[in-house]
């Protein structure tokens, strides 16, 4: 992270990052992603690592493509993860709008909630978290432990029975109550949607794509696919829009970790349209660009499948990289299955975007060894 200069509010209003060029795409004069206010939170660029040992374990060059792992688990903000990229834009937006507090929501082991609480600390904002739980007294472990260490104001509500990530009425009511309470005390709350998935949040992975496309070009790589774990779809919105704007060589291939495909497609397209408008480019993304494979969800969000557990162990034992049981384990299970079934060939190169989530390992304990 660059050395911070000035107050948080001054910092997010600073001039655009000098290293980021203005982009002109297919004749459209675009507003560079570098001109949009951004509050520095992440340590960038994250490494791009070739997983040689994993390739060997999956059959070697005869059977397995080359796999490049983009280490967004190493974004640096409070144990890392993809939300740091979104939060750079979301927190800047909150500060510009004069917010004094942020409110967000997610499951009790939400990585997004933990990273929002951390970002709020760095920006001098209060943070309230509305977290859904399927048990009455969830163990104070993993992300929830970190939320408390960060002294976020935690509100627990019962999880909707289908374990989807969908925000339900009880969550909306609690957010409204928390917001009203903050306002009555003279605070100005800014509500960040679940997963940080909004047009502003999607800018994080437009910028992330610019970074990755640059790394690939420097390394002379042209991967055919990018695999990643898809939840609330803000990452997808940024990745697909970024892939169009910066002419990425790869197809963006999401492995779903929860259901609700049709509604989420609509939301992703909304996020794309908003982000594109902020950048001054046409949305140029259609439903056919939103590839989300729902074949690896298993019983539901947050419930690891046997293949997910296998993927977690395999990555630990080959690359000493930890995956998480809710997101990246399932995404890697999808990639491994595609290798084994020959959906992707040994002559290809693919990118696996490691979106983080590692603290949730500690809320599962030895069940991960089963
Ligand atoms: C939030 C999250 C995702 C999914 O990102 P969305 O933008 O919600 O789709 C993937 N992996 C991890 C570890 C996450 O925390």
């Amino acid at each position: 992270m660059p050395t911070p200069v000035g107050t948080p509010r001054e910092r997010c209003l600073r001039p655009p990052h000098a290293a980021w060029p203005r982009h002109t795409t297919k004749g459209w004069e675009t507003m560079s992603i570098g001109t949009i206010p951004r509050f520095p939170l992440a340590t960038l660029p994250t490494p791009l690592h070739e997983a040689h040992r994993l390739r060997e374990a999956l059959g070697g060059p005869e059977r397995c493509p080359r796999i490049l792992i983009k280490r967004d688990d190493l974004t640096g903000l409070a144990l890392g993860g993809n939300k740091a990229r979104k939060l750079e834009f979301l927190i800047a937006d909150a500060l510009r709008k004069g917010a004094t507090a942020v409110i967000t929501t997610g499951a009790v082991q939400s990585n997004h909630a933990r990273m929002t609480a951390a970002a709020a600390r760095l920006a001098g904002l209060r943070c309230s978290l509305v977290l859904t739980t399927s048990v009455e007294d969830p163990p104070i472990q993993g992300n929830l432990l970190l939320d408390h260490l960060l002294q976020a104001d935690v509100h627990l509500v019962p999880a909707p029975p289908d374990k989807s990530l969908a925000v339900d009425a009880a969550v909306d009511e609690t957010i409204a109550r928390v917001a009203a309470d903050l306002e009555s005390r003279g605070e100005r709350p800014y509500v960040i949607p679940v997963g940080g998935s909004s047009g502003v949040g999607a800018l994080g992975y437009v910028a992330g794509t610019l970074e990755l496309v640059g790394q690939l070009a420097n390394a002379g790589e042209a991967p055919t696919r990018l695999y990643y774990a898809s939840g609330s779809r803000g990452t997808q919105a940024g990745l697909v829009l970024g892939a169009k704007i910066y002419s990425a060589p790869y197809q963006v291939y999401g492995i779903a970790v929860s259901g609700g495909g049709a509604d989420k497609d609509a939301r992703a397209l909304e996020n794309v349209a908003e982000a594109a408008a902020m950048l001054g480019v046409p949305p140029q993304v259609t439903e056919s660009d939103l590839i989300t494979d729902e074949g690896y969800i298993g019983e539901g969000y947050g419930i690891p499948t046997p293949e997910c557990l296998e993927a977690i162990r395999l990555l630990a034992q080959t690359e000493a990289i930890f995956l998480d049981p809710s997101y990246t384990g399932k995404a890697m299970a999808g990639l491994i299955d595609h290798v084994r079934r020959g959906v992707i060939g040994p002559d290809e190169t693919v990118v696996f975007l490691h979106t983080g989530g590692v603290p949730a390992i500690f809320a599962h304990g030895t069940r991960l060894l089963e």
Side-chain angles (χ1 to χ4, degrees):
M1 207 182 302
T3 311
V5 180
T7 66
R9 220 165 284 271
E10 283 162 0
R11 265 184 270 149
C12 87
L13 298 173
R14 77 202 160 139
H17 199 301
W20 290 43
R22 265 193 94 77
H23 269 266
T24 309
T25 315
K26 297 178 187 138
W28 294 304
E29 184 60 31
T30 73
M31 191 188 289
S32 163
I33 183 84
T35 64
I36 296 185
R38 186 166 174 179
F39 185 79
L41 292 167
T43 305
L44 303 175
T46 57
L48 186 65
H49 160 98
E50 180 164 1
H52 295 285
R53 293 174 190 82
L54 175 63
R55 190 184 194 200
E56 278 308 314
L58 293 173
E62 319 266 274
R63 308 256 307 271
C64 182
R66 291 174 58 236
I67 301 170
L68 308 176
I69 303 186
K70 176 64 171 162
R71 299 293 306 273
D72 276 9
D73 55 322
L74 302 180
T75 53
L77 174 66
L79 300 184
N82 62 341
K83 304 309 182 304
R85 292 192 189 270
K86 301 179 182 192
L87 285 162
E88 290 204 335
F89 291 94
L90 290 162
I91 293 291
D93 192 46
L95 291 172
R96 274 165 63 87
K97 289 182 172 148
T100 61
V102 290
I103 306 173
T104 199
T105 182
V108 73
Q109 281 299 328
S110 165
N111 302 299
H112 164 67
R114 177 243 317 162
M115 300 186 82
T116 300
R121 278 282 160 236
L122 297 175
L125 300 169
R126 290 175 182 279
C127 180
S128 299
L129 302 175
V130 176
L131 304 178
T132 59
T133 172
S134 48
V135 294
E136 205 164 309
D137 247 330
I140 310 284
Q141 249 306 359
N143 283 302
L144 184 59
L145 175 63
L146 302 179
D147 296 342
H148 284 294
L149 268 180
L150 291 159
Q151 217 172 38
D153 168 34
V154 174
H155 302 260
L156 295 177
V157 298
D162 67 353
K163 289 190 189 293
S164 79
L165 273 180
V167 175
D168 68 335
V171 168
D172 287 345
E173 268 164 40
T174 309
I175 290 174
R177 188 166 47 73
V178 170
D181 184 51
L182 285 165
E183 278 163 6
S184 75
R185 289 186 278 130
E187 301 285 347
R188 299 176 62 174
Y190 177 96
V191 178
I192 297 177
V194 66
S197 292
S198 64
V200 174
L203 293 170
Y205 271 94
V206 173
T209 300
L210 177 60
E211 177 183 305
L212 174 60
V213 164
Q215 284 176 317
L216 292 170
N218 283 340
E221 300 284 1
T224 50
R225 284 191 184 188
L226 177 142
Y227 285 82
Y228 72 103
S230 189
S232 62
R233 305 286 202 94
T235 300
Q236 178 180 54
L239 287 174
V240 292
L241 179 60
K244 297 268 182 189
I245 294 176
Y246 305 118
S247 308
Y250 50 76
Q251 182 185 52
V252 175
Y253 199 94
I255 305 284
V257 300
S258 52
D263 282 359
K264 287 181 179 176
D265 278 354
R267 210 179 325 144
L269 289 176
E270 271 169 39
N271 289 346
V272 166
E274 281 173 38
M278 283 179 267
L279 291 165
V281 297
Q284 60 195 300
V285 169
T286 62
E287 216 155 311
S288 63
D289 297 309
L290 303 181
I291 300 169
T292 314
D293 187 334
E294 296 196 336
Y296 302 91
I297 301 172
E299 280 177 53
Y301 173 71
I303 306 172
T305 58
E307 294 75 20
C308 164
L309 297 178
E310 185 208 347
I312 292 174
R313 286 193 292 266
L314 185 62
L315 263 285
Q317 289 158 20
T318 54
E319 301 291 337
I321 289 176
F322 297 120
L323 301 177
D324 80 287
S326 301
Y327 293 93
T328 54
K330 287 183 179 176
M332 183 56 84
L335 168 54
I336 291 171
D337 186 49
H338 283 192
V339 171
R340 290 185 175 148
R341 289 198 290 115
V343 175
I344 37 181
D347 297 338
E348 292 181 57
T349 299
V350 298
V351 174
F352 179 79
L353 173 62
H354 189 332
T355 45
V358 177
I361 282 184
F362 302 105
H364 284 256
T366 53
R367 274 176 295 164
L368 295 183
L369 301 174
E370 282 162 18

